[in-house]
Amino acid sequence: METLQVFLLLGVFVVMVSAQQVEEPATYSCTEGYEFSEEEQECKDVNECQTLPDACKGGMSCINHYGGYFCLPQNAQIIIGNGEEEPTTTTRPPAPHLIPHPVVPLPRSSYLTNQVRLASIRCPVGFAADEFNLCRDVNECAPSSPCQHHCYNLLGSFLCQCEQGYKLSPDQLNCHDVDECLLSAYVCQWQCVNQPGSYSCVCPEGYELQGTRMCQDINECETGPNCREDQMCWNYFGGYRCYPRNPCQEPYIQTGEGRCSCQSPSACRGLPPSIVYKYMSITSERSVPADIFQIQATSVLPSMLNTFRIKAGNEDGQFFLR
């Protein structure tokens, strides 16, 4: 600033101009994510979640943190630990009044004279001071991870994630197996076997697994010769049986597949003129009563009487005719 001084000497005006150097006001600079507070004369954290429009997209929750912010799902939990204390779980960042000074602001004159004045810094949990006395994020996931499966480092914290088939334990660090067999009674068609991190479906004897959960009957009559030459193979659900190729007995003779006829009227007096053998599979655990099959006889003569009865195999009375 220049000053003007006027003196009266011997009737002559003498004007003297002098200059006076005045120091400029000191200016301060803060690290990124902080701004200098004139009132408190210190660096304060900038809350980007309030100053930035739409800081997080896709319904993510904005969490302000020291010198920045990060976006997490609405139900995400943050584990905060400093490597010495037992980590705690929280869904909110620390209170704003606990925000430390990331770096002490210096007047510009100090930089001009190459005089650097640094103060001891106190970093929040999850941060540590570096060689420049700045708070840097601590990577809790390295070198020994506190998570049982996968560890993801966050700004000032970390998250644990489990492999497929596992879920986080209440301590948010360890993983325990998910028993998929308890999730639904329809996971497998027959039986579900739980395994660490997974499950498998098994089928009863005579069936094979089709895909991952369905059971398909094994046709033993097609997989190999399981019956003698004079026998025929009959496949049923879960197994097979061998029947004689010629089931006819005297006085009947075989006239077709499974059909026996009597050729002598005198020898077959009082006996059915023909017998037909049919085989079928009946599934177990079916609801009852239920129709298994229907049979119809055609009357050749007007006076013919047809009679139906169960010849054998119904000792327990589980079948009846109607």
Side-chain angles (χ1 to χ4, degrees):
M1 180 179 65
E2 294 184 349
T3 59
L4 180 64
Q5 297 179 350
V6 180
F7 297 92
L8 180 61
L9 296 175
L10 300 177
V12 179
F13 287 101
V14 179
V15 179
M16 299 182 61
V17 179
S18 63
Q20 181 180 357
Q21 185 68 28
V22 179
E23 293 186 359
E24 296 182 0
T27 58
Y28 300 91
S29 62
C30 299
T31 57
E32 184 178 359
Y34 294 83
E35 61 183 1
F36 185 73
S37 174
E38 295 288 348
E39 296 179 358
E40 302 181 19
Q41 291 294 303
E42 64 180 6
C43 291
K44 305 291 290 185
D45 175 61
V46 177
N47 191 341
E48 292 85 356
C49 296
Q50 296 179 354
T51 59
L52 296 179
D54 297 330
C56 297
K57 307 292 185 180
M60 302 285 280
S61 177
C62 181
I63 306 298
N64 184 59
H65 214 61
Y66 305 106
Y69 71 99
F70 49 90
C71 301
L72 291 178
Q74 296 289 343
N75 59 349
Q77 292 181 323
I78 306 174
I79 301 177
I80 299 178
N82 59 2
E84 299 177 357
E85 303 175 353
E86 191 71 21
T88 57
T89 303
T90 181
T91 55
R92 303 298 304 170
H97 68 274
L98 294 179
I99 297 176
H101 302 248
V103 66
V104 177
L106 302 176
R108 180 178 299 178
S109 59
S110 298
Y111 291 100
L112 296 178
T113 58
N114 294 325
Q115 296 177 354
V116 180
R117 302 195 303 269
L118 296 177
S120 177
I121 189 171
R122 182 171 61 92
C123 297
V125 175
F127 292 82
D130 61 5
E131 65 272 16
F132 302 106
N133 209 30
L134 297 177
C135 289
R136 302 292 185 185
D137 174 58
V138 175
N139 188 355
E140 293 87 356
C141 298
S144 55
S145 170
C147 303
Q148 183 178 359
H149 285 179
H150 302 291
C151 180
Y152 297 93
N153 185 57
L154 298 176
L155 191 63
S157 183
F158 65 95
L159 286 177
C160 295
Q161 191 176 47
C162 298
E163 296 177 356
Q164 185 176 3
Y166 296 84
K167 66 179 181 180
L168 277 176
S169 301
D171 60 5
Q172 301 296 313
L173 298 175
N174 297 300
C175 299
H176 67 273
D177 175 61
V178 176
D179 191 348
E180 294 86 356
C181 299
L182 300 179
L183 299 179
S184 173
Y186 304 98
V187 174
C188 298
Q189 185 179 12
W190 190 66
Q191 184 177 357
C192 177
V193 178
N194 185 58
Q195 297 175 351
S198 180
Y199 71 97
S200 62
C201 297
V202 295
C203 298
E205 185 179 0
Y207 292 82
E208 61 183 357
L209 191 65
Q210 185 179 34
T212 58
R213 57 176 301 271
M214 302 298 294
C215 293
Q216 176 68 35
D217 173 59
I218 300 175
N219 191 343
E220 292 85 356
C221 297
E222 295 180 353
T223 57
N226 298 314
C227 299
R228 300 194 310 263
E229 286 292 333
D230 61 340
Q231 293 178 330
M232 60 178 295
C233 181
W234 177 259
N235 181 69
Y236 65 89
F237 295 111
Y240 71 99
R241 285 187 180 179
C242 297
Y243 296 101
R245 291 187 180 275
N246 184 7
C248 304
Q249 299 178 1
E250 293 290 340
Y252 295 93
I253 61 174
Q254 187 175 15
T255 57
E257 184 178 353
R259 178 178 292 274
C260 301
S261 300
C262 183
Q263 304 296 320
S264 174
S266 59
C268 296
R269 187 180 299 275
L271 297 177
S274 64
I275 300 176
V276 179
Y277 291 86
K278 295 288 185 181
Y279 306 100
M280 66 174 59
S281 297
I282 302 177
T283 58
S284 61
E285 299 182 0
R286 62 187 301 170
S287 59
V288 292
D291 291 338
I292 299 176
F293 68 92
Q294 292 182 345
I295 188 171
Q296 182 178 358
T298 302
S299 298
V300 179
L301 301 176
S303 60
M304 180 177 289
L305 179 64
N306 296 312
T307 302
F308 299 91
R309 64 185 177 90
I310 300 175
K311 184 178 180 181
N314 194 30
E315 290 77 10
D316 296 334
Q318 298 178 345
F319 302 93
F320 66 93
L321 299 175
R322 65 179 176 87

